[in-house]
Amino acid sequence: WNVNNSALFLLDILCSHSFFNPQIHSATLQVTNDLQKKFLLESSGGIINWITGVNYSGHKLLFPTSTAQFPWLAYFFLQSEDIHCRETGLWAAMVKQLSEQKPLEDALVSASTQCETSPPLSSQLPIYRWLQQAMDTPPDHPMVPIFWQRFFQLFLSRPVATHEGEEPRGVGMSFFVGMLNTMYYNKIKTGLKVLQEVQAKKATEVEVEADVSDIKRLCDKLGKLYKTFYMWLDEAKILDSTLYIPALSPVYEPEKLAQVLSGDRTLWMDYIDFEGPLLEHCKAILEWDTLHFRVKLENKLRKPYADHNDFTPSERIL
């Protein structure tokens, strides 16, 4: 089913409905968590893995690449991968190793040994997975800001302080060391600039239309958010241990930055276009009803005879 586009299309629609309902959201995430664990368990076999207890080929993922066609579905499975990485302790251990200036691959091996878990390939780490999904998803999709939020929650990670008063430095740049990763890093910054331009253009286009104030407001808000993301990524001081958030300019969104650094993983729902998915749902329902002859007739059916009950006697004669 995970390679059947027809099945994935339907699942993406279901996930788009469940995303906005807290109870169904949790239930859907539980399903994807169970599928994720089941798939990892079934793919962890092999004589070498059995002897060593380590899966050297990385994790076998249900979706090894980003799924730009099905962003709603992608969110739930990426969230499950992220949760698995955190629950095993792998992410926290690796952040600690990176803070000690270890190379990424060495940090990953050390962290997996410490947590007694099979490590994913470095390319399968949640930080890269969220990032690739954010880069590949169409820029006007409602889930794009959420994918970027999840990426920055990992990029800005800091190790737990070992003693009171210590302010550890962020480890985000440790994931972009080397020529290839540096090129990828520059590509990310370009992608964020493109998103700013897309929102600015969209805001300009809707200015000439009526009843679009909410759309323009959201476009402006998203444009500012992507500019903030660019600055978080581009300016080294955001990762510094000496960062003093209250002194930052409003363009840095100090409140949002403080939430991220505190480990708050609440979704920023105020950056999501609620109206767009709702209109898509209504459109899909109308198309379904039309195809299955369920559209209600607006006009009443004409009666085959004239009803004279409401006429006066003289009107009936005439």
Side-chain angles (χ1 to χ4, degrees), residues 148-177:
W148 282 107
Q149 178 196 356
R150 285 291 187 245
F151 163 71
F152 277 102
Q153 286 171 333
L154 297 170
F155 178 79
L156 298 175
S157 293
R158 300 180 179 217
V160 177
T162 54
H163 57 269
E164 188 177 352
E166 181 187 14
E167 292 292 341
R169 177 181 170 80
V171 300
M173 288 307 300
S174 299
F175 296 96
F176 299 98
V177 176

Side-chain angles (χ1 to χ4, degrees), residues 134-269:
M135 296 280 284
D136 292 345
T137 302
D140 57 347
H141 194 279
M143 287 302 292
V144 171
I146 297 299
F147 294 142
W148 282 107
Q149 178 196 356
R150 285 291 187 245
F151 163 71
F152 277 102
Q153 286 171 333
L154 297 170
F155 178 79
L156 298 175
S157 293
R158 300 180 179 217
V160 177
T162 54
H163 57 269
E164 188 177 352
E166 181 187 14
E167 292 292 341
R169 177 181 170 80
V171 300
M173 288 307 300
S174 299
F175 296 96
F176 299 98
V177 176
M179 185 175 69
L180 289 177
N181 281 334
T182 299
M183 292 172 62
Y184 191 36
Y185 177 75
N186 291 330
K187 185 179 178 182
I188 300 167
K189 293 198 290 186
T190 301
L192 285 169
K193 282 187 175 180
V194 169
L195 286 172
Q196 293 178 52
E197 293 169 0
V198 167
Q199 294 302 326
K201 182 180 178 182
K202 188 176 179 181
T204 303
E205 290 174 348
V206 299
E207 280 181 351
V208 299
E209 301 178 19
D211 301 325
V212 290
S213 58
D214 289 343
I215 298 175
K216 186 181 184 306
R217 194 178 298 114
L218 180 61
C219 290
D220 292 338
K221 196 173 182 179
L222 286 172
K224 291 178 182 178
L225 178 68
Y226 295 136
K227 182 178 181 180
T228 297
F229 282 162
Y230 181 90
M231 298 178 74
W232 287 1
L233 189 71
D234 188 53
E235 299 198 17
K237 68 179 181 181
I238 300 299
L239 297 174
D240 283 348
S241 59
T242 57
L243 177 68
Y244 184 59
I245 295 178
L248 292 175
S249 165
V251 73
Y252 290 93
E253 288 284 356
E255 186 177 343
K256 294 290 185 187
L257 182 58
Q259 288 178 7
V260 172
L261 295 180
S262 70
D264 186 346
R265 294 182 57 77
T266 304
L267 293 175
W268 296 346
M269 301 295 283

